[in-house]
Amino acid sequence: VKNHLLKNEKVVFLKQPHRVVFFVPGVLLVVAIVVATGLIGGGRFNAYLYGMSLYHWGAVLIFLYGFFTLIGAYLQYRFSEYAVTNKRILIKAGLVQRVSLEIFLDKIEAILVDQTIAGRLMNYWRLMVVGTGGSRDSFMYVPSPLAFRRKIQEQIDEYVSKK
């Protein structure tokens, strides 16, 4: 974000996605470990394939899926940024397949919040920015929802008062 600022533009708020992106991969890895150790139904499967029981093959598959999901979550966390500047909102997500939103403050019509109970408890949300012309851009796992919205509103207020 800092490499793409305009002349006289400064970042007033910058965040990465919420750490909740690691929740599902973490649960999958724990389930794989529990299954592999035989804590859940370990003696029920007697069929073998290539020297391992089908039960353990299931644990390996769950582990691999969890591991690759964890890599994806890390890439999402590491290479995504949510920023508010004195002129616009900048949201960048992704490393190889990049999604970005740059919307000037005077082009914002609404900021919609979609927050689940879990999102309220862990302080994250889905942000949808509605721009002029009806464009709707949605981004997941935005942390510190009230601070983020407040910074956007403050910058819009300052921008309008300068006109």
Side-chain angles (χ1 to χ4, degrees):
V1 167
K2 292 180 181 178
N3 296 334
H4 301 287
L5 296 178
L6 302 173
K7 185 179 178 181
N8 298 325
E9 186 175 25
K10 63 180 181 178
V11 175
V12 295
F13 195 75
L14 179 64
K15 291 285 187 176
Q16 286 184 293
H18 195 277
R19 290 182 304 244
V20 76
V21 298
F22 297 109
F23 180 74
V24 170
V27 168
L28 287 172
L29 292 175
V30 168
V31 167
I33 291 168
V34 168
V35 169
T37 58
L39 294 176
I40 299 176
R44 293 189 187 141
F45 295 98
N46 293 327
Y48 286 86
L49 181 65
Y50 297 109
M52 281 182 20
S53 72
L54 293 180
Y55 183 78
H56 288 104
W57 276 110
V60 168
L61 291 176
I62 294 170
F63 178 81
L64 289 174
Y65 183 72
F67 179 73
F68 287 113
T69 306
L70 182 65
I71 290 172
Y74 173 76
L75 293 175
Q76 179 183 4
Y77 181 79
R78 174 71 176 83
F79 295 103
S80 297
E81 296 176 306
Y82 307 110
V84 179
T85 72
N86 59 332
K87 295 184 179 188
R88 57 192 172 151
I89 297 174
L90 297 163
I91 299 176
K92 175 184 73 93
L95 172 64
V96 177
Q97 183 178 2
R98 174 137 321 161
V99 176
S100 66
L101 166 71
E102 299 178 13
I103 186 165
F104 285 92
L105 296 174
D106 62 343
K107 302 296 183 192
I108 297 173
E109 288 186 0
I111 302 166
L112 304 175
V113 177
D114 182 13
Q115 193 172 36
T116 63
I117 293 172
R120 285 184 59 101
L121 292 173
M122 293 189 277
N123 199 27
Y124 73 91
W125 62 330
R126 181 174 67 103
L127 170 72
M128 184 180 295
V129 178
V130 180
T132 55
S135 67
R136 292 176 178 258
D137 297 292
S138 181
F139 294 89
M140 298 293 293
Y141 309 118
V142 179
S144 306
L146 299 177
F148 195 84
R149 185 176 62 191
R150 185 175 60 248
K151 286 293 183 184
I152 293 171
Q153 291 168 339
E154 287 172 1
Q155 294 307 309
I156 289 173
D157 187 47
E158 284 183 31
Y159 186 83
V160 169
S161 66
K162 288 181 183 179
K163 280 188 164 185

